[in-house]
Amino acid sequence: MPALNEAVLARRGEIAAALRAIVPGEGVIDQPTALRPYESDGLTAYRQPPMVVVLPQTTAQVAAILAYCHREGINVVPRGSGTSLSGGALPLADGVLLGMSRFNRILDIDYEEMLVVAQPGVTNLAITHAVEGEGCYYAPDPSSQIACSVGGNVAENSGGVHCLKYGLTTNNVLGVEMVTMAGEILRIGGRALDAPGLDMLGVIVGSEGMLGVVTEVTLRIRPKPETARALLIGFPTVESGGQCVADVIAAGIIPAGMEMMDRLAIHAAEAFVKVGYPLDVEALLIVELDGPQAECDHLLNEVVRIAELNGATTLRKSNNDAERLAFWAGRKAAFPAVGRLAPDYYCMDGTIPRRQLPEVLRRMRLLSEQYGLQVANVFHAGDGNLHPLILYDANQPGQLDKAEAFGADILRLCLEVGGVLTGEHGVGVEKRDLMPEMFTDLDIRQQQRVKCAFDPQMLLNPGKVFPVLHRCAELGRVHVHGGKLPFPDLPRF
Ligand SMILES: Cc1cc2nc3c(=O)[nH]c(=O)nc-3n(C[C@H](O)[C@H](O)[C@H](O)COP(=O)(O)OP(=O)(O)OC[C@H]3O[C@@H](n4cnc5c(N)ncnc54)[C@H](O)[C@@H]3O)c2cc1C
C-alpha cells in the first residue's frame, strides 16, 4: 500500500474539524472504536481502520470534501456498503473513508422511459422492491443484493445470476453524476441508451472508485417476464455438467441463469437451507428459463433433452414460483453455507472460456491436494465465471498465505486457458499483484494514464488495481535489464 504520510496523520484532529465544518452533526467519525466497523470490507483478511470517516448527504458536500482533500493532499477511499470481495473499499491509515450510506433515496421512477434514478447508497434489491408493484425489476442481481449499494455495483461492474441473459451492471446503467477528486461535478451518460460524445460511461463503470465518487445513478428497469421456470439437474461428473452447459449455449438457448455447484458446495448448501438438493451427484446445475409461457415451456424441454444426452441422473422441474425459489435458495445461500465448513474462506473470481470448465476443475482438484486446502466451487456456469471458495483457518500460522498462494495459482490457471483475472468482484488489492500476468507493461501504463486524467495526484483509492512493482520485483516478475527498471515514471507505492 502507499507509504504512510506521517505529516497528514499528525494533522488528524485538524482534518476531522475541517470535515465537520462541511458535514455537521454526526457525519464525521474519528473515535477509534467507532472506526472499527469500517476497517475492512468483504475481504476480511485485510484490515486497516481509516484515519477518519465522513458520511456526506449531498453532492455539494461530497464536492467540498474532495476539493478539500485534493488541496491538502489527503487520500480518500470511497465506500458503499463494504461488501467488496477484492478489498476495493479497504481504508488507508492516513486516508479519509468517504461512506456513501446516507445517499439512500430513490429520486425518480419513470415507467415510460423504464428507468430509475437513485442515490448510490440505495441497495441493489431496493431498486427492484421500488418497482415490483408495477411488474418491473432491476436485472443485475449479485448474491449480496440485499446489502450492496448500486454505487458499489457501478464501481465494480457487478454481476449476478441473471446477467447471462440481461447483461452486467454496465449494460444496465444509463448515466451517472460523479464528483472528481478536484471536486468537479460531472454528468456522464443520461436517460437514454446512448449519449453524445465519448463513451465515458464505459470507463466509469468498473473503475473501482479510482476515477471519481458516484453521487447519482440512472438504471434501466425491465418488465418482469411473464413466466420463469427452473430446472435442477444433477450429474455424476463435473465434466458431464460442464458439457451440458456448453451444449445448451451451443443450441442457441440463453437461459435467464445457469449456475453450477460442485459436491462440497451442494452438501454445504443442503445442510444450510434444506431444500432437497440431491446429495449423490458430483455437479448440480440450476437452469432458469424465462419469457412467454409457451417459449419457456419449449426451452425447458429442450434443456431437459440436452441434460439427458449428457447423462443427468437427477432432473426436477419447478412447477410454481415457490419451487423455483427453493431451487435457488441453496445457490443464493452457498457462500454463508460454505462459511460453516471452516473458520475462514477465501472467495476467488476468475473467468474462463466455458469449454475449459472440466479441465480447470480437474486441475483445481490437483492444486487443492497440493496445498492441502479444500475448495468448494460455486459458479456462474453460463458466463464461465468461477467462484472457488478456498477453506482455511486464519488462526493456523501460514494458512492465510497458503490460501492466497492457492488462489493466485487458480487465477493463473484461468489466464493459462484463455480466461481473465476477474468476472465481477474487481481487482482491488486482492488481484492487483497479478495484473502483470494478464497485461503487458504498456497495457497497464495506458490504463494508468486514464487514472491520471481524472486524478493526477493519485489521491483517490490509491494502492488498488495497479500493481505494486517493487513487490512484483521481489516475486521475480519484473524484468530488470542492465540494472534499469522498466517504466521508471510509473508510480511505485
Ligand atoms: C456474500 C457476498 C456475495 C457476493 N456476491 C456477488 C455477486 O454475485 N456478484 C458480484 O458482482 N459481486 C458479489 N459480491 C461482491 C460485492 O457485493 C459487489 O462487488 C458490490 O458491488 C459491492 O458493493 P458495495 O456497495 O458493498 O461496495 P463497497 O464494497 O463499499 O465498495 C466496492 C468498491 O466500489 C467503490 N465505491 C463504492 N461506492 C462508490 C461510489 N459511490 N462512487 C465511487 N466508488 C464507489 C469502493 O471504493 C470500492 O472500490 C458479493 C459479496 C458478498 C459479501
Side-chain angles (χ1 to χ4, degrees):
M1 297 303 280
L4 193 70
N5 189 331
E6 297 283 0
V8 164
L9 209 52
R11 294 171 50 214
R12 190 167 172 270
E14 175 203 320
I15 292 166
L19 294 175
R20 273 199 185 94
I22 299 170
V23 186
E26 296 182 339
V28 175
I29 301 170
D30 60 349
Q31 291 305 309
T33 45
L35 292 173
R36 282 282 165 198
Y38 297 92
E39 71 180 3
S40 72
D41 54 19
L43 186 65
T44 52
Y46 298 132
R47 288 154 201 257
Q48 171 59 63
M51 175 173 67
V52 54
V53 173
V54 59
L55 304 170
Q57 246 173 331
T58 66
T59 300
Q61 286 175 346
V62 173
I65 293 164
L66 291 177
Y68 166 75
C69 291
H70 184 246
R71 218 170 33 244
E72 302 292 326
I74 303 166
N75 290 323
V76 176
V77 176
R79 177 181 165 115
S81 302
T83 65
S84 164
L85 291 170
S86 58
L90 180 71
L92 296 164
D94 56 0
V96 169
L97 189 84
L98 182 64
M100 297 300 285
S101 54
R102 292 163 97 194
F103 274 73
N104 57 5
R105 286 184 305 123
I106 289 182
L107 304 173
D108 186 20
I109 301 179
D110 185 336
Y111 290 109
E112 279 178 18
E113 300 286 352
M114 290 298 277
L115 60 84
V116 169
V117 182
Q119 292 188 319
V122 172
T123 63
N124 172 294
L125 194 57
I127 304 290
T128 289
H129 283 165
V131 298
E132 65 191 353
E134 296 293 322
C136 297
Y137 77 118
Y138 176 57
D141 54 347
S143 306
S144 53
Q145 66 182 151
I146 192 170
C148 65
S149 72
V150 290
N153 292 174
V154 169
E156 300 286 13
N157 189 19
S158 294
V161 165
H162 288 95
C163 293
L164 173 61
K165 184 166 179 181
Y166 297 107
L168 294 155
T169 301
T170 191
N171 308 107
N172 291 277
V173 174
L174 298 172
V176 296
E177 178 188 77
M178 188 184 88
V179 186
T180 65
M181 189 63 215
E184 298 152 332
I185 302 170
L186 310 177
R187 293 200 79 89
I188 297 166
R191 293 168 75 97
L193 278 177
D194 202 2
L198 288 176
D199 179 13
M200 298 299 281
L201 200 55
V203 173
I204 302 307
V205 179
S207 60
E208 303 199 23
M210 295 194 314
L211 303 185
V213 176
V214 172
T215 46
E216 188 189 290
V217 191
T218 303
L219 301 166
R220 292 172 75 183
I221 51 171
R222 296 166 191 272
K224 263 182 112 172
E226 182 187 307
T227 327
R229 292 187 69 189
L231 282 165
L232 200 62
I233 315 171
F235 293 93
T237 63
V238 170
E239 285 76 8
S240 49
Q243 192 56 49
C244 181
V245 170
D247 290 351
V248 168
I249 301 287
I253 301 169
I254 306 291
M258 184 151 56
E259 301 278 307
M260 199 153 125
M261 294 159 77
D262 71 2
R263 173 176 273 273
L264 192 56
I266 300 165
H267 282 247
E270 179 56 19
F272 192 45
V273 293
K274 300 187 176 57
V275 283
Y277 280 0
L279 297 177
D280 57 347
V281 297
E282 288 299 318
L284 188 68
L285 202 57
I286 308 172
V287 186
E288 182 166 303
L289 286 314
D290 68 3
Q293 173 102 40
E295 177 187 329
C296 203
D297 290 347
H298 169 70
L299 293 179
L300 198 83
N301 290 333
E302 271 301 284
V303 175
V304 167
R305 189 182 62 78
I306 295 169
E308 281 170 348
L309 284 176
N310 280 290
T313 48
T314 306
L315 254 165
R316 282 168 51 198
K317 295 179 188 173
S318 73
N319 291 309
N320 52 50
D321 238 28
E323 254 177 17
R324 181 179 68 85
L325 294 176
F327 287 1
W328 281 117
R331 166 60 187 92
K332 291 257 174 189
F335 285 17
V338 170
R340 301 196 321 164
L341 300 183
D344 302 279
Y345 72 73
Y346 182 29
C347 174
M348 305 306 300
D349 163 49
T351 302
I352 56 168
R354 274 182 299 263
R355 66 177 184 285
Q356 298 283 2
L357 264 177
E359 169 65 5
V360 168
L361 293 173
R362 186 187 67 78
R363 301 245 320 255
M364 223 188 283
R365 275 197 297 273
L366 295 180
L367 286 170
S368 166
E369 281 164 24
Q370 181 189 321
Y371 281 97
L373 296 176
Q374 279 192 302
V375 60
N377 272 293
V378 177
F379 44 91
H380 305 309
D383 305 292
N385 182 200
L386 309 177
H387 289 321
L389 304 171
I390 300 170
L391 308 187
Y392 72 102
D393 181 355
N395 289 327
Q396 300 294 325
Q399 279 222 354
L400 172 60
D401 292 343
K402 227 193 225 188
E404 285 190 318
F406 183 5
D409 276 352
I410 291 176
L411 292 176
R412 286 190 190 101
L413 175 58
C414 293
L415 296 183
E416 187 192 315
V417 300
V420 292
L421 277 181
T422 171
E424 52 184 21
H425 295 172
V427 175
V429 286
E430 185 209 12
K431 302 171 193 124
R432 181 191 60 189
D433 295 358
L434 289 170
M435 288 282 278
E437 304 214 9
M438 170 140 188
F439 295 105
T440 64
D441 283 343
L442 217 55
D443 288 337
I444 294 175
R445 249 156 75 100
Q446 199 60 29
Q447 291 180 39
Q448 206 145 11
R449 284 195 190 109
V450 176
K451 163 76 171 159
C452 293
F454 283 86
D455 174 24
Q457 291 183 48
M458 303 264 176
L459 293 170
L460 198 55
N461 220 0
K464 314 287 167 67
V465 178
F466 294 115
V468 184
L469 289 186
H470 70 264
R471 273 196 63 196
C472 295
E474 280 159 25
L475 296 174
R477 287 195 213 125
V478 168
H479 180 200
V480 181
H481 181 67
K484 284 190 194 136
L485 200 63
F487 306 117
D489 56 320
L490 204 67
R492 286 158 168 83
F493 299 122

